[in-house]
Amino acid sequence: MDAVGGKRINIRHIIFILMALAVALPLIFKLGLPLRVTDEVRDVYGFIDSLPENSTVLISFDHDTSTLPEMVPLAEAILRHCFRNNIKVIGLALLAEGAAVGDDNLRRIAGEYHKEYGRDYLFLGFRPQFTVAILSMGEDIAREFPRDYRGVDIHNYPIMNNIKNYKDISAVISIADGDMPLYWINYAQARYGVKVIPEVTAVMATTMYPFLQSGQLVGLVAGLKGAAEYEKLLGKPGLASKGMDAQSTAHILIVLLIIVGNVVYFINRRKMRI
Amino acid sequence: MDIGITIAAILTLAIYSFLYKDNPFYKTAEHILLGVSVGYFVVITITNTLIPKLFIPIFIEGKLIYIIPGVLGLMMFLRFHRRSAQFSRIPLSIIIGVGAGAAIPAYMQAQLLAQIKATMLPLTNLSNIIIIAAVLTVLVFFYFSREHKGVMGFGAKAGIYFLMLFFGSTFGYTVMARVSLLIGRMQFLLHNWLGLIN
């Protein structure tokens, strides 16, 4: 029934082609659709903006490479904000693939702001058994990460001079494609009182909202849309902002397909009754 | 053109070729992904964990106490030896014991108590009323010791509607995330590979 032009092409394939066009065309021909900044993103931006210069934040790259299109814009936006405001950044990864990506993100964005490794930012690398790692850093970061990603003793870096544990950290920012921010809430926020900011994939947004409502999170930046909102607040459009037109047209196409699918379904049902 | 970008673009197209039908290009790209992922994980675990957390403390700093966790870790491999497999349960029991000990109070504090506290809201605005109504009716839906009839039935039905709203919003976010992934790949193909967009 759904065959079009022979056996090899069917409705499914046509939908794939339409989706590819709905995404590709707005990337080539800009539409400039409006974007509203939500309160939860504004809260994160406001919090980072309120931190005094030379504060230190811990950014954990808790994701795999399969979600890079969402994770990289999120990471770039928050790193740009931190470095622009002269906030020091200590990076780490609690998932293995996040280590290489986190290191690359830090170097790239730090380079834009001429920040120096070891003084303005540091990358500790990957640690398995994230529960133990989060708890251990609450006592002493150097005990959990005696050496950085490059294998150098972290006491050699000036950024670590006044940093021992979460007491010396203004916030933990978990850039995650899973529920890792919940572990930061369970073991770092509840036990040591450190502020937690989740930057998550859109899939994880609904998991985070109860913790936002309860006040256990500073704010929430979710998905490519969240990253685009953050870029708008920063006044520096990046990857996410450029993808928002495509996101909107793809959503419009999906809504249309749902409507068409239902109309066809009800027409067929009526025919069968007759 | 950067050879790395070309290889990545070809592999992306090979994966997307599955949308037409399963084929050898897709299979090859899939196997490369698996192989590279496992290889990367092994290397980073050795360089980022075993060397700084085990080998350097034992062999360079002379902290012999680290031999104990090292031996416990090696005992996990006894699972592959049928007659000695039972000894692999020792490190496993330590992991489970420590994990449960750390998790239970943390979950009680962060997930249970904090969430209950956050539900005790004054009925002064619509949002608070909806939150409390949703929590109560969903709890009624998951209460199975009494038949869902009368007030219980009404509550359970309302609970189902709240659950459906949650599933719908979650599915909406999931669709958004999947579209974002496609946008990311499309940006890579059109910008990094073909140079069609800025």
Side-chain angles (χ1 to χ4, degrees):
Chain A
M1 183 174 171
D2 59 356
V4 175
K7 290 177 183 173
R8 289 180 183 276
I9 302 289
N10 58 36
I11 289 292
R12 210 164 56 93
H13 295 133
I14 291 171
I15 291 172
F16 293 151
I17 292 166
L18 286 175
M19 182 55 75
L21 290 173
V23 168
L25 291 178
L27 290 175
I28 298 168
F29 309 105
K30 302 269 182 299
L31 301 175
L33 297 171
L35 178 73
R36 191 180 67 84
V37 180
T38 51
D39 289 342
E40 46 268 36
V41 175
R42 207 179 287 278
D43 287 343
V44 175
Y45 184 86
F47 175 79
I48 298 290
D49 235 21
S50 70
L51 294 177
E53 282 195 6
N54 295 317
S55 303
T56 305
V57 295
L58 202 66
I59 299 188
S60 188
F61 298 90
D62 304 328
H63 58 82
D64 290 324
T65 48
S66 59
T67 48
L68 283 190
E70 284 185 283
M71 297 287 95
V72 169
L74 285 167
E76 286 182 351
I78 197 85
L79 283 170
R80 284 198 175 103
H81 196 189
C82 290
F83 288 135
R84 190 187 73 179
N85 289 15
N86 293 321
I87 293 166
K88 295 177 192 293
V89 175
I90 298 176
L92 66 125
L94 296 181
L95 291 182
E97 290 177 21
V101 181
D103 183 47
D104 179 62
N105 286 334
L106 269 169
R107 280 172 197 245
R108 233 168 359 90
I109 308 301
E112 285 179 19
Y113 293 85
H114 310 292
K115 297 294 178 185
E116 186 186 324
Y117 186 80
R119 185 170 60 86
D120 302 308
Y121 74 104
L122 184 70
F123 191 63
L124 300 172
F126 162 66
R127 195 63 79 234
Q129 286 290 342
F130 46 81
T131 303
V132 179
I134 294 169
L135 283 170
S136 177
M137 283 190 288
E139 304 299 324
D140 188 356
I141 292 172
R143 194 174 67 187
E144 184 57 27
F145 287 94
R147 285 171 176 72
D148 71 342
Y149 192 52
R150 305 171 181 191
V152 178
D153 188 331
I154 65 168
H155 292 108
N156 293 340
Y157 296 113
I159 191 174
M160 293 304 294
N161 281 351
N162 298 313
I163 304 290
K164 182 172 169 62
N165 52 35
Y166 295 136
K167 282 181 189 160
D168 310 308
I169 299 289
S170 298
V172 172
I173 301 162
S174 177
I175 301 172
D177 59 4
D179 60 355
M180 196 65 84
L182 300 189
Y183 292 91
W184 283 107
I185 292 171
N186 290 345
Y187 299 112
Q189 193 264 335
R191 183 156 180 168
Y192 296 101
V194 69
K195 289 183 167 36
V196 175
I197 299 171
E199 296 220 326
V200 292
T201 50
V203 177
M204 295 309 299
T206 48
T207 308
M208 297 299 144
Y209 272 107
F211 298 93
L212 184 68
Q213 187 265 336
S214 65
Q216 289 166 282
L217 299 171
V218 172
L220 173 67
V221 188
L224 200 67
K225 184 176 174 289
E229 290 173 34
Y230 210 97
E231 286 173 358
K232 188 177 179 182
L233 289 170
L234 273 176
K236 197 171 170 65
L239 278 173
S241 301
K242 287 170 186 164
M244 273 303 98
D245 283 348
Q247 187 92 47
S248 301
T249 50
H251 287 186
I252 291 167
L253 175 66
I254 291 166
V255 170
L256 289 175
L257 288 171
I258 290 170
I259 292 169
V260 170
N262 275 280
V263 168
V264 171
Y265 168 76
F266 283 111
I267 289 171
N268 285 341
R269 200 169 71 163
R270 178 173 282 185
K271 276 182 186 172
M272 284 172 76
R273 279 182 185 165
I274 293 167
Chain B
M1 186 180 285
D2 188 338
I3 187 73
I5 288 174
T6 306
I7 292 170
I10 291 168
L11 289 171
T12 298
L13 294 175
I15 289 290
Y16 279 139
S17 69
F18 184 80
L19 294 175
Y20 181 63
K21 66 175 186 177
D22 200 359
N23 62 74
F25 298 110
Y26 169 77
K27 284 263 191 288
T28 306
E30 190 184 33
H31 293 160
I32 289 171
L33 172 71
L34 285 173
V36 170
S37 299
V38 173
Y40 171 80
F41 185 78
V42 170
V43 169
I44 200 160
T45 303
I46 292 170
T47 57
N48 247 230
T49 306
L50 285 177
I51 291 175
K53 293 285 280 181
L54 188 68
F55 298 153
I56 289 177
I58 292 173
F59 299 114
I60 295 177
E61 296 169 358
K63 294 176 180 171
L64 299 181
I65 192 80
Y66 280 67
I67 291 173
I68 296 172
V71 169
L72 285 167
L74 285 172
M75 283 170 74
M76 295 281 274
F77 288 101
L78 292 175
R79 291 172 72 89
F80 300 115
H81 189 254
R82 198 163 54 89
R83 289 174 63 184
S84 313
Q86 57 182 315
F87 295 108
S88 70
R89 291 178 187 169
I90 296 170
L92 268 180
S93 61
I94 292 172
I95 291 171
I96 292 167
V98 172
I104 291 168
Y107 271 76
M108 287 285 283
Q109 194 178 344
Q111 308 259 350
L112 194 63
L113 296 177
Q115 286 298 310
I116 290 172
K117 188 180 161 195
T119 314
M120 294 178 180
L121 300 163
L123 298 171
T124 49
N125 61 53
L126 187 62
S127 295
N128 290 0
I129 293 168
I130 291 172
I131 288 169
I132 290 170
V135 170
L136 292 177
T137 54
V138 170
L139 283 173
V140 167
F141 173 72
F142 285 111
Y143 184 75
F144 301 118
S145 298
R146 199 168 162 188
E147 199 173 351
H148 289 173
K149 274 184 174 177
V151 178
M152 287 287 283
F154 176 77
K157 192 126 191 166
I160 291 174
Y161 288 127
F162 279 120
L163 283 171
M164 289 301 158
L165 284 172
F166 170 73
F167 295 147
S169 61
T170 303
F171 185 64
Y173 268 115
T174 305
V175 169
M176 190 166 117
R178 301 300 177 243
V179 171
S180 299
L181 297 185
L182 177 62
I183 291 168
R185 279 294 83 190
M186 204 64 93
Q187 281 176 329
F188 169 75
L189 292 173
L190 295 175
H191 171 66
N192 300 64
W193 190 42
L194 298 174
L196 288 178
I197 55 173
N198 292 324

